[in-house]
Amino acid sequence: MTSAEAGALRRLAPPARRFLAHRKGVLVRLALWSLAESGQAFLVGHAVARSVDEGFLAGDPRRGLLWLGIALVAVLSGARVVRGVFAQLAGVTEPLRDGLVRRAVDRSMARAAPDGPGGTDRAAVSRLTNQVEIARDSFAGLVLSLRSFVFTAAGALLGLLSLHPALLLVVLPPLAAGLALFLVTLRPMAAAQRRALAADEALGEHAASARAALRDLAACGTGPGVEQRGADLVAEAAAAARTLAGWAAMRTAALGVAGHLPVLALLVAVEWLRGRGVSVGALLGAFTYLVQSLLPALHTLMTALGAAGSRLLVVLDRILGPEPEPELGPRSEPELGPGTASAPGAAAFAVHTAAAPAVELRAVTLSYGVRAEPVLDALDLRVAPGEHLAVVGPSGIGKSTLTRLVAGTLAPSRGEVRVAGRPVTGCPAAELAALRVLVPQDAYVFSGTVGDNLAYLRTDARRAELDAAVGVFGLAPLVERLGGLDGTVRPAELSPGERQLVALVRAYLSPAPLLLLDEATCHLDPASEARAEEALAGRSGTLVVVAHRLSSAVRADRTLVLDGVRAQCGTHAELLGRSPLYQDLTGHWNS
């Protein structure tokens, strides 16, 4: 066991003892039901032996059938035993879950309190959902497995002893050897799992950063070095995987020794056992004990200890362990008004709402290479639910990059991007599609009916809803020209502006709460652009527009100005008073 695991066990031992001490009644009732399981395991093998020796081999089939009936009753009674066990198990696992939830809430509230040690606890949601459920399920699995093995093994071994003591001499040595081999593999396999995980994470981070920096890697000629680093990481990950596979093979061997060798030993020792007075019925009973009771319980125990045990230890230590020490030189959150920037290359926008922000960027930096200048540098941004934000700036300044970061199609070099309170980096595509819609400059239209194109993001849209959306965007002439909603769309026959209108109606109908328009109206005339943006802004949800014309910024609630040095945010009037770049852009567009 590593020093970290030993420290975690020392920290968790006192609360674990207190938790179990307060539930003695539940544990006693659980033990009584488990004793019934021991009796069931004992009775099945014993009844099989008696049915053979005293019934069928003795010429009394009725007696043999009677004993088999007793074995059947014992097997069927297992359902009642399992029901009783699970009823008592809830009395242990549910209080554990409630206690962990209280602990997580208390810690989060302490961190969020004005006098608390560190502000908002961003891991609270994980502790309240995923981690708590992992702890409960792992704890329940361990309790079931340990209890089942101990009481089932006790019943089976007692049954073997009752049939003939010589049976234990044959069965116990390989069983004990397999258990010992399994226990020996626990520590090195856990260490191998951690090394494999670390190597996999390092390789993933390197791949993500290299993918984002392909342009600069080619321009700066640093590709070979990055490629060599990638090759080294692949070799390390492969070595860690081979080590882990080796220990997994050892664990499989331990399971084979404990799970199969006792049966083989019993078969080999049949002649020796018969010479010491072991009856045929006793041999069959011994095989029944092994195959029906002892070996399945052993397999479950090994699986639970190898997987659920390590997960439970890690999760409990994170929830119940001490608070992490604050980092040296923490990044302070400036209390600035909208539109001010904390430092060159960093902007902070304070939009405080009770709900999670529709879009939130926390110190987001993106650069295409280690030596390359960042496209976005430590950018902080909050967009409130229902807000209409325009993004402006010179060409190539990072406006499209910003929308790709928010959409989750591009990962930041540093920092975090959240949509509706959820991190988007690494989020599955299906979940991203439910959070946001990104409409790029080159609109996607496919061959099919008009209705299929418009309802592409909402397949359950009714015909009346499609007609209403067509009217809102002034798309009726185009739809009529194509033959109505059932008419055929041929993308090559549509102009760029017509394709954009189809894509905008599609986004308008989408149930996603966030719309991202990356110059998605650049091919529309000013009147069509105004109508489209007003329709999208009036839709329930949040709208972020990379502006093609100044009129988009004027219509927005706020405008974000990117210039590569300072990012500023505010209303149209506020930016005219304090942003030289916005003043220049205004003059350029007005001219």
Side-chain angles (χ1 to χ4, degrees):
M1 182 175 293
T2 64
S3 58
E5 291 171 331
L9 283 175
R10 286 193 296 270
R11 288 191 297 270
L12 296 175
R17 286 194 295 266
R18 290 193 298 270
F19 175 81
L20 295 176
H22 286 86
R23 285 155 186 86
K24 292 180 180 178
V26 176
L27 294 177
V28 169
R29 291 191 294 272
L30 187 61
L32 291 176
W33 280 109
S34 300
L35 281 175
E37 190 171 350
S38 293
Q40 177 201 15
F42 173 84
L43 193 57
V44 171
H46 193 79
V48 169
R50 295 299 182 211
S51 70
V52 173
D53 288 339
E54 300 176 5
F56 300 113
L57 291 182
D60 190 353
R62 287 190 302 177
R63 190 178 184 86
L65 291 174
L66 176 62
W67 277 110
L68 288 181
I70 294 174
L72 178 62
V73 171
V75 171
L76 294 178
S77 68
R80 183 69 183 90
V81 173
V82 170
R83 179 181 177 184
V85 166
F86 273 90
Q88 300 305 318
L89 182 67
V92 180
T93 57
E94 295 308 311
L96 173 70
R97 180 186 183 278
D98 294 342
L100 294 178
V101 169
R102 283 194 296 271
R103 171 66 176 175
V105 170
D106 291 343
R107 173 177 292 185
S108 178
M109 293 297 291
R111 289 176 62 86
D115 298 327
T120 303
D121 186 1
R122 297 173 181 173
V125 174
S126 178
R127 294 195 189 101
L128 286 174
T129 54
N130 187 44
Q131 294 185 27
V132 168
E133 294 305 318
I134 287 175
R136 181 181 67 171
D137 294 344
S138 300
F139 180 67
L142 282 176
V143 171
L144 283 175
S145 301
L146 288 170
R147 175 207 58 80
S148 177
F149 175 75
V150 170
F151 287 92
T152 301
L157 293 177
L158 183 62
L160 289 171
L161 181 63
S162 68
L163 295 178
H164 200 287
L167 293 170
L168 289 178
L169 296 178
V170 176
V171 169
L172 277 181
L175 186 65
L179 277 173
L181 182 59
F182 169 75
L183 294 175
V184 167
T185 64
L186 284 177
R187 177 180 175 182
M189 187 166 184
Q193 285 176 330
R194 285 189 292 274
R195 287 195 298 270
L197 180 60
D200 184 66
E201 290 176 348
L203 180 58
E205 291 177 2
H206 177 78
S209 61
R211 182 188 63 183
L214 287 177
R215 183 178 65 184
D216 289 302
L217 291 176
C220 300
T222 56
V226 174
E227 181 181 358
Q228 182 59 46
R229 174 58 179 163
D232 294 340
L233 289 174
V234 168
E236 292 175 10
R242 285 193 294 269
T243 302
L244 182 60
W247 285 110
M250 288 289 292
R251 178 171 291 180
T252 302
L255 183 60
V257 170
H260 301 290
L261 202 55
V263 177
L264 295 177
L266 200 58
L267 288 172
V268 171
V270 165
E271 184 177 354
W272 180 81
L273 291 171
R274 292 286 291 158
R276 278 155 180 76
V278 179
S279 66
V280 174
L283 287 172
L284 288 177
F287 282 113
T288 302
Y289 281 129
L290 288 176
V291 176
Q292 295 295 325
S293 300
L294 192 57
L295 301 185
L298 179 64
H299 184 277
T300 303
L301 174 69
M302 288 186 172
T303 303
L305 285 179
S310 59
R311 290 199 305 268
L312 179 65
L313 182 64
V314 172
V315 171
L316 287 182
D317 189 47
R318 285 190 59 82
I319 298 177
L320 300 178
E323 287 282 356
E325 294 294 328
E327 298 179 359
L328 295 178
R331 178 181 173 272
S332 61
E333 294 288 347
E335 298 181 359
L336 302 174
T340 56
S342 57
F349 314 108
V351 179
H352 301 288
T353 61
V359 177
E360 185 176 16
L361 276 67
R362 301 174 178 176
V364 168
T365 297
L366 181 82
S367 56
Y368 295 100
V370 178
R371 301 182 183 87
E373 288 293 326
V375 179
L376 299 175
D377 189 5
L379 178 64
D380 292 334
L381 173 65
R382 282 190 175 189
V383 181
E387 187 176 6
H388 178 186
L389 177 75
V391 182
V392 301
S395 178
I397 202 63
K399 303 187 296 297
S400 295
T401 297
L402 177 62
T403 60
R404 291 178 60 197
L405 287 169
V406 175
T409 60
L410 182 64
S413 304
R414 291 188 299 276
E416 185 178 38
V417 181
R418 289 176 174 262
V419 171
R422 298 183 57 184
V424 297
T425 302
C427 188
E431 296 181 18
L432 282 176
L435 291 175
R436 89 296 179 264
V437 172
L438 172 62
V439 184
Q441 180 177 349
D442 297 321
Y444 170 66
V445 178
F446 57 88
S447 297
T449 67
V450 176
D452 288 342
N453 271 275
L454 298 180
Y456 180 69
L457 300 178
R458 186 183 165 192
T459 55
D460 62 344
R462 297 188 299 271
R463 194 175 188 90
E465 294 174 306
L466 297 179
D467 290 334
V470 166
V472 168
F473 283 81
L475 201 61
L478 173 62
V479 174
E480 184 178 353
R481 191 187 84 206
L482 295 175
L485 294 177
D486 296 325
T488 301
V489 173
R490 296 178 179 82
E493 297 178 1
L494 299 183
S495 68
E498 290 171 338
R499 288 197 293 269
Q500 284 190 335
L501 279 175
V502 171
L504 291 172
V505 174
R506 180 190 300 155
Y508 176 81
L509 291 168
S510 166
L514 172 63
L515 297 186
L516 303 168
L517 308 185
D518 184 9
E519 295 197 10
T521 59
C522 62
H523 297 300
L524 302 182
D525 60 82
S528 298
E529 180 185 55
R531 174 186 290 179
E533 287 189 7
E534 288 172 1
L536 294 171
R539 171 186 179 275
S540 176
T542 307
L543 179 63
V544 177
V545 179
V546 173
H548 177 67
R549 297 182 178 92
L550 177 63
S551 54
S552 296
V554 175
R555 285 189 292 267
D557 298 325
R558 288 189 302 153
T559 300
L560 171 65
V561 182
L562 299 177
D563 66 356
V565 179
R566 292 180 65 89
Q568 298 194 60
C569 191
T571 65
H572 174 68
E574 290 171 344
L575 292 173
L576 283 177
R578 67 167 180 259
S579 173
L581 174 60
Y582 192 73
Q583 294 169 5
D584 291 343
L585 293 173
T586 304
H588 172 71
W589 278 331
N590 284 340
S591 64

